[in-house]
Amino acid sequence: MKIAIASDHAAVGLKAELAQFLRDAGHDVLDLGPENEDRVDYPDYGYKLAQAVASGDATYGVALCGSGIGISIAVNRHPALRCALVGEPLSAALAREHNNANAIAMGARLTGPDMAKACLTAFLSTEFGGGRHAGRVEKLTSPTF
């Protein structure tokens, strides 16, 4: 599986650790940056990640910033993305099972490396449940305001 990963400056360390974790698990990783802790704007990297998943360059996305909130908002601006902010494995699994999330976001200042790895494992090992959830997910793709 190919996983895109992106962060802002606050989450560069966690991004590097999760990218290696994914590689060790046999996944291809598309690291969209940044490369260092110089200040950057999270929307720029959230948009890159959203485009990579929407275009099919990656199956799933992992978005990281200090809290996870800002970058998740940026990723979710793309209509093809369903990015869930998670902080523990159950929410990561439910994001896939109930919402067919194709990206997760985490906050490097709030979620330690071991918990982030557990969230990522739960997310990637859970299938979309379909059924009663399918119609709801369709409404997310084609909203009627």
Side-chain angles (χ1 to χ4, degrees), residues 23-36:
R23 286 184 193 100
D24 291 346
H27 300 290
D28 290 330
V29 175
L30 177 59
D31 187 337
L32 300 171
E35 299 303 317
N36 57 50

Side-chain angles (χ1 to χ4, degrees), residues 49 53 60-63 75 81-85 95 100-105 123:
L49 184 126
V53 175
Y60 297 113
V62 179
V75 171
L81 270 287
R82 293 171 305 281
C83 182
L85 175 61
N100 201 18
N102 50 12
I104 58 169
F123 179 79

Side-chain angles (χ1 to χ4, degrees), residues 73-95:
I73 293 169
V75 171
N76 280 319
R77 300 292 294 164
H78 196 295
L81 270 287
R82 293 171 305 281
C83 182
L85 175 61
V86 303
E88 38 65 41
L90 179 58
S91 61
L94 290 174

Side-chain angles (χ1 to χ4, degrees), residues 7-68:
S7 72
D8 71 355
H9 54 280
V12 168
L14 182 59
K15 179 176 66 79
E17 193 161 341
L18 292 180
Q20 189 57 55
F21 176 74
L22 289 166
R23 286 184 193 100
D24 291 346
H27 300 290
D28 290 330
V29 175
L30 177 59
D31 187 337
L32 300 171
E35 299 303 317
N36 57 50
E37 294 180 358
D38 292 347
R39 188 196 160 288
V40 297
D41 295 330
Y42 60 80
D44 298 334
Y45 292 90
Y47 298 156
K48 285 182 188 183
L49 184 126
Q51 186 56 39
V53 175
S55 71
D57 289 341
T59 308
Y60 297 113
V62 179
L64 308 165
C65 69
S67 68

Side-chain angles (χ1 to χ4, degrees), residues 4-5 13 24 72-73 80 98:
I5 190 166
D24 291 346
S72 69
I73 293 169
H98 291 190

